Amino acid sequence: MAEEVLTNEIDQEVNTNPVISTDENEQNTAQNQETESAATETPESKPKPKRAPKKTVQKEAVVAEEVKEEEKAEEVVSEEAVSSEENTATEKEDKSKNDKKKKMKEKEKKQLAEKKDKLKKKKAVAKRKEKAKDAKKEKAKKAKLKAKAKKKDKAKKAKDKAKAKKIAKKKAKRSKAKKNKKK
């Protein structure tokens, strides 16, 4: 933006009128009058016009300078208005570009946030599923262990029963044998 303003200032033409001092102004008017009188000389000589007093010439010069300054000020104001309009136009463009960039960044941030949320949710769901699987595996292990323990217990009881039966049979045989001996 600064480059544009600089180039605009360089491209503009400056209208400068030379400032004429009062002495030069008087000389110019005197020369003009002489040339006019020489050009329009008639047999009857006209009376010379009287020169204006110094004060009025100075006032006229001051008024002329003020008019020039006003014109310059108007030109500067119009140039500033043009440059300010250009500046406002470029500022508006910059603002719109900045707004677009901000919107894009906000969209990207939202998308990233949404992706992060989705990933978090997926991870949470995966963790829950893992925990559920682990819990099922633990249950299955415990159930297997219980079943094994039951089988062992049953087998032990069956063994113990069989032993007890054997022992009972042997006792019965002994007691029978004892009874038979007595007879």
Side-chain angles (χ1 to χ4, degrees):
M1 188 171 76
E3 292 175 5
E4 290 177 15
V5 173
L6 289 175
T7 56
N8 286 342
E9 288 178 2
I10 292 169
D11 292 343
Q12 292 172 352
E13 294 180 11
V14 180
N15 295 331
T16 56
N17 294 330
V19 179
I20 301 171
S21 65
T22 54
D23 294 334
E24 290 175 352
N25 201 8
E26 288 174 7
Q27 288 175 355
N28 286 342
T29 54
Q31 288 175 355
N32 287 343
Q33 287 174 355
E34 287 175 11
T35 55
E36 285 176 13
S37 64
T40 58
E41 239 181 74
T42 58
E44 302 167 7
S45 65
K46 292 184 179 177
K48 266 188 175 177
K50 290 185 180 177
R51 228 169 46 169
K54 244 185 181 181
K55 288 182 182 177
T56 56
V57 171
Q58 286 178 348
K59 285 181 185 176
E60 288 174 1
V62 170
V63 169
E65 287 177 13
E66 287 177 357
V67 169
K68 287 178 186 176
E69 288 176 2
E70 287 177 9
E71 288 174 358
K72 286 181 182 177
E74 288 175 4
E75 287 177 10
V76 169
V77 168
S78 65
E79 289 172 4
E80 288 177 357
V82 169
S83 64
S84 67
E85 288 174 4
E86 290 173 357
N87 288 343
T88 54
T90 54
E91 286 175 5
K92 285 180 183 177
E93 288 175 15
D94 290 343
K95 280 184 182 180
S96 64
K97 286 179 183 176
N98 288 339
D99 290 341
K100 286 179 183 177
K101 284 181 183 176
K102 283 181 183 178
K103 286 179 183 178
M104 291 299 287
K105 284 182 181 178
E106 287 175 6
K107 281 183 182 179
E108 289 174 3
K109 283 181 183 178
K110 284 181 183 178
Q111 287 175 348
L112 285 173
E114 288 174 0
K115 284 181 181 178
K116 285 181 181 178
D117 288 342
K118 285 180 182 177
L119 284 174
K120 281 182 183 178
K121 287 178 183 177
K122 283 183 181 179
K123 285 181 181 178
V125 168
K127 278 185 181 179
R128 273 188 248 140
K129 285 182 179 177
E130 286 267 331
K131 283 183 181 178
K133 280 183 182 178
D134 290 345
K136 281 183 182 178
K137 284 181 182 177
E138 285 293 319
K139 266 189 179 178
K141 277 185 183 178
K142 283 182 182 177
K144 278 184 181 178
L145 288 174
K146 272 188 182 179
K148 266 189 181 178
K150 272 188 181 178
K151 272 187 179 178
K152 275 187 181 178
D153 214 24
K154 245 186 181 178
K156 200 176 186 184
K157 280 183 183 176
K159 244 185 185 179
D160 286 345
K161 241 186 186 179
K163 262 189 185 177
K165 261 189 180 177
K166 266 187 180 177
I167 293 171
K169 272 187 182 177
K170 280 184 183 177
K171 258 190 185 177
K173 274 185 182 178
R174 281 184 209 145
S175 63
K176 226 183 193 181
K178 271 185 187 178
K179 277 185 187 176
N180 284 339
K181 268 187 182 177
K182 283 182 184 177
K183 284 185 181 176

